[in-house]
Amino acid sequence: MAISELNEDTQDQICDLLENLQQIEKLKNKDMRILLDKIVRQYGGKVVNK
């Protein structure tokens, strides 16, 4: 799934939430990948490490 398949408001909300969680140190990179993977799997995609 390409991120463009999500509507722009949803993309913005996800980015804002992840940034806020990172700033308060409640979310590490590994946890972020897990959360994003759960979201994109609903749309038939998966998160990969690059």
Side-chain angles (χ1 to χ4, degrees):
M1 176 193 87
I3 191 73
S4 60
E5 292 180 34
L6 294 175
N7 72 43
E8 202 168 308
D9 288 337
T10 302
Q11 290 179 43
D12 291 343
Q13 290 173 354
I14 291 170
C15 288
D16 289 344
L17 176 61
L18 293 175
E19 286 175 9
N20 289 338
L21 289 170
Q22 270 191 316
Q23 286 176 3
I24 60 171
E25 298 182 11
K26 296 289 183 186
L27 187 64
K28 304 296 181 211
N29 286 338
K30 180 181 177 183
D31 297 328
M32 185 182 303
R33 284 192 303 272
I34 291 169
L35 290 172
L36 288 172
D37 192 58
K38 287 181 181 182
I39 293 168
V40 298
R41 283 187 185 271
Q42 294 175 8
Y43 295 91
K46 69 177 181 175
V47 173
V48 295
N49 287 336
K50 289 191 174 187

